[in-house]
Amino acid sequence: MKRTIAILCLLLVSRVAFAQQVSIFPAPVSMECRSGYFVFDGSNAFELHPDNTQMREAVEVFAERFGRSSGMDIQVAAKGDIVCSLSEKVDNPEGYELTVTPKKIRITASTPAGVFYALQSVRQLLPPQVESAEVAEGVAWRIPCVVVKDAPRFAYRGAMFDVCRNFFDKEFILQYIDILALHKINRFHWHLTDDQGWRIEIDRYPKLTSVGAFRDRTMLTQTVVKPRVWDNTPVGGFFTRNDVREVVEFARKRNIEVIPEIEMPGHALAALSAYPQYSCTGGPFEVDGKWGVFNDIFCPKEETFAFLQNILDEVVELFPSRYVHIGGDEAPKVRWKRCHHCQELMEREGLENETELQAWFTNRMETYLRQKGKTVIGWDEILDGDINRSAVVMSWRGYEGGMKAARRGHDVIMCPNKYLYFDYYQFDNDRGPLEKRHRIPLEKVYCFNPVPEGLDAAEQSHIMGVQANMWTEYVRTPEYAQYLLFPRLTAYSEMAWGTNGDYGAFLERLKDFEKRYEVIGINYAK
């Protein structure tokens, strides 16, 4: 009897241990755990159907990651025990079916993107040492047997990172993109221009980086706090065209589309510091270390449009993304009100006020980019005027902008600041320069519903997805950026995938996932 009880206890403990280690983020739509393990022993090989460039790229990232940490080299062969197949049976282009038995791993998807995500799930089923940058000794390289059927709810699952207010180098961006891929996030919105720095090399206008990428000082306190406290250390940096190409290609192999943001007509002070002739006043200006909203914006002159179009021509050449973000937020009209050219332009075009002038400006740039095969994204302020319906609206000031846009027939990306701005504090006891901002605890991120109530089915269909935004006014180091991002990014990824449910269960699974943070070296909030 005692032996029977002992065996039952052992089985119970082993099942609990098994359940604890089977943890995938975002949580799959369905997962059935079975007994046994698939063991990686150095003889494994991929078998691809079809065996083509796209499929090889889908498995390459996993093979590189696993090889770096395990020392094993998984190649593609005519026959293998990791079988990846494309099939029309899987409806969602990013969906997949994953079956792990002691003898084989079988992956079925409708596109190579689904194969890639299935392998990210395999990556997460492996011990956390798979995230190591060097060979990890003494690790049992095996994964539990499971059957997973999975697909995302939203086609757009984005993450924005601001490199303008404080500069973060290429190595940080590459690591961040790899972590986004681990979480099955498929858009990286790269905020590249603002008042405090211009961060992308443009051949035709070299002063955008030689002048616009550098500032002499940085404000350490809130804008409203007096006296202001400054750090007089020069700050600067930018990405060369080759840097951009490397980032875009690195992301592409991880099923991530890189969306550039070139701000206009506001948040233009860094550009105007380099080329003041495209303002209403002629300057002079300097790249400012203060935060907030500045009155000097692009003047809607023909020379300005030529300047911006030339910039966008180079941006379009560097970024194959379907989308280009042109900002459109926080553009004061003070200079336009006092500008003879702007007032004459309004009269000539039959525009009643400066808000309509901004809509005219936005539509002109939207038309230009659409002729180049691009879709414009703008912050929800672009709705203040009559904007071409093909423009996508990013709703950051709550639900209202997204609802208004959907009702007008615009596609919408939800990123309300009170839920998805990860530069906001997480805990009640957090202290610092942003003390008066909203707290966004982990649970609030996890439980966010991207589809506003009050929309009918047709309007709801315009909600493309969601985005988490990371602004860096007061984020000066990679370590602090990571502290603010994690684990909220993990909670966000599950909400964006559409499988968020039991928050308590999420927290239990997160304990195991945090071991991966530690191996990667992420300074996550504990």
Side-chain angles (χ1 to χ4, degrees):
M1 182 67 179
K2 290 182 179 178
R3 183 181 179 186
T4 301
I5 292 173
I7 292 172
L8 288 172
C9 289
L10 182 62
L11 287 171
L12 179 61
V13 170
S14 66
R15 286 183 180 180
V16 170
F18 179 76
Q20 287 176 338
Q21 65 182 318
V22 180
S23 181
I24 296 174
F25 287 92
V29 172
S30 71
M31 180 168 67
E32 177 187 346
C33 298
R34 296 181 176 178
S35 61
Y37 294 86
F38 176 91
V39 177
F40 291 87
D41 59 9
S43 67
N44 314 100
F46 287 108
E47 180 182 326
L48 305 182
H49 302 284
D51 182 358
N52 58 29
T53 300
Q54 291 74 26
M55 287 288 278
R56 287 187 175 238
E57 285 185 342
V59 304
E60 179 182 302
V61 172
F62 175 84
E64 287 181 357
R65 161 66 55 190
F66 184 65
R68 190 179 309 130
S69 56
S70 70
M72 300 182 201
D73 184 15
I74 305 179
Q75 296 289 329
V76 175
K79 292 292 182 181
D81 51 3
I82 309 173
V83 182
C84 304
S85 305
L86 300 186
S87 171
E88 294 180 355
K89 293 190 302 180
V90 180
D91 295 332
N92 191 300
E94 294 179 297
Y96 65 90
E97 295 179 2
L98 168 66
T99 302
V100 181
T101 69
K103 298 292 186 183
K104 281 190 183 293
I105 297 174
R106 293 188 181 276
I107 293 169
T108 304
S110 64
T111 69
V115 173
F116 177 86
Y117 286 141
L119 288 169
Q120 293 306 298
S121 293
V122 172
R123 173 181 173 182
Q124 294 186 33
L125 291 172
L126 282 160
Q129 291 89 342
V130 73
E131 307 300 336
S132 174
E134 55 190 26
V135 174
E137 303 292 345
V139 179
W141 295 110
R142 64 182 191 176
I143 63 173
C145 294
V146 294
V147 177
V148 175
K149 294 184 179 181
D150 202 10
R153 177 187 180 191
F154 295 106
Y156 187 109
R157 304 177 303 282
M160 186 282 293
F161 199 93
D162 164 27
V163 293
C164 300
R165 276 50 180 267
N166 280 295
F167 182 67
F168 289 75
D169 63 19
K170 181 180 68 176
E171 286 65 34
F172 175 88
I173 296 299
L174 292 175
Q175 184 196 50
Y176 186 50
I177 287 172
D178 190 62
I179 296 169
L180 295 182
L182 175 65
H183 288 81
K184 304 184 178 78
I185 292 168
N186 65 358
R187 302 294 198 285
F188 174 56
H189 171 181
W190 206 357
H191 186 77
L192 288 164
T193 73
D194 216 297
D195 298 300
Q196 296 80 18
W198 183 284
R199 305 297 184 205
I200 179 172
E201 181 182 47
I202 302 296
D203 279 348
R204 187 157 181 168
Y205 302 106
K207 289 197 292 185
L208 284 171
T209 46
S210 66
V211 174
F214 300 90
R215 64 177 186 264
D216 293 332
R217 61 179 186 166
T218 299
M219 188 173 66
L220 299 180
T221 51
Q222 284 186 346
T223 306
V224 296
V225 173
K226 303 291 176 61
R228 290 172 176 156
V229 178
W230 296 88
D231 179 344
N232 292 314
T233 305
V235 173
F238 63 92
F239 299 92
T240 67
R241 293 169 62 87
N242 285 337
D243 289 337
V244 170
R245 291 188 183 100
E246 182 180 347
V247 168
V248 168
E249 178 64 8
F250 184 88
R252 185 191 67 80
K253 289 185 175 181
R254 286 155 179 78
N255 200 48
I256 292 175
E257 182 179 356
V258 182
I259 299 171
E261 181 176 4
I262 308 297
E263 281 268 17
M264 60 185 79
H267 288 293
L269 199 53
L272 294 177
S273 298
Y275 295 95
Q277 63 266 40
Y278 303 119
S279 69
C280 291
T281 67
F285 309 105
E286 65 177 0
V287 182
D288 210 311
K290 293 194 301 295
W291 317 125
V293 179
F294 296 84
N295 288 332
D296 289 293
I297 66 177
F298 288 121
C299 186
K301 300 180 286 191
E302 286 305 311
E303 311 94 273
T304 304
F305 287 115
F307 172 70
L308 292 173
Q309 288 168 2
N310 289 336
I311 290 170
L312 289 173
D313 286 348
E314 294 193 31
V315 169
V316 166
E317 185 268 324
L318 288 169
F319 292 90
S321 166
R322 172 185 172 186
Y323 301 100
V324 174
H325 201 304
I326 62 170
D329 63 311
E330 299 177 331
K333 312 301 189 296
V334 174
R335 300 291 185 252
W336 286 3
K337 287 179 182 294
R338 300 173 181 173
C339 171
H340 291 300
H341 166 78
C342 292
Q343 296 304 309
E344 290 173 0
L345 175 61
M346 288 167 54
E347 183 176 357
R348 187 166 65 249
E349 295 293 332
L351 306 174
E352 293 187 5
N353 52 48
E354 289 76 16
T355 298
E356 288 191 6
L357 178 57
Q358 182 174 345
W360 180 88
F361 183 114
T362 302
N363 282 333
R364 179 159 173 172
M365 300 312 299
E366 189 278 335
T367 300
Y368 185 78
L369 284 166
R370 181 158 36 88
Q371 290 170 348
K372 291 183 169 293
K374 301 295 183 179
T375 297
V376 156
I377 302 176
W379 301 107
D380 57 47
E381 284 95 329
I382 67 173
L383 292 169
D384 293 344
D386 186 11
I387 300 300
N388 296 341
R389 190 164 295 179
S390 54
V392 175
V393 174
M394 199 166 269
S395 183
W396 74 274
R397 295 179 298 176
Y399 278 111
E400 292 75 15
M403 296 176 71
K404 183 178 179 180
R407 286 169 177 156
R408 287 191 187 179
H410 293 275
D411 286 340
V412 177
I413 300 160
M414 297 300 298
C415 57
N417 61 328
K418 292 183 181 180
Y419 292 89
L420 297 177
Y421 271 35
F422 288 172
D423 53 311
Y424 288 15
Y425 290 139
Q426 304 168 79
F427 308 115
D428 288 339
N429 60 353
D430 276 335
R431 292 291 180 267
L434 296 180
E435 200 167 340
K436 294 183 180 179
R437 284 202 177 188
H438 301 280
R439 264 53 171 186
I440 303 180
L442 190 65
E443 184 174 7
K444 190 172 185 178
V445 176
Y446 187 79
C447 296
F448 174 65
N449 179 12
V451 181
E453 295 181 2
L455 298 179
D456 62 30
E459 292 162 348
Q460 288 180 12
S461 69
H462 284 291
I463 308 298
M464 294 168 52
V466 290
Q467 181 167 288
N469 292 338
M470 184 67 190
W471 302 100
T472 62
E473 286 94 333
Y474 299 94
V475 182
R476 308 183 76 187
T477 67
E479 292 76 19
Y480 190 44
Q482 291 173 347
Y483 172 81
L484 292 171
L485 285 164
F486 299 98
R488 288 189 291 191
L489 189 81
T490 303
Y492 160 76
S493 73
E494 196 152 296
M495 176 271 292
W497 194 258
T499 51
N500 54 325
D502 186 335
Y503 180 65
F506 164 80
L507 291 179
E508 286 301 312
R509 291 186 294 116
L510 185 63
K511 292 177 184 177
D512 185 61
F513 200 69
E514 286 173 345
K515 298 173 185 176
R516 295 181 186 273
Y517 295 162
E518 291 169 3
V519 175
I520 296 170
I522 293 173
N523 179 42
Y524 64 97
K526 300 177 177 62

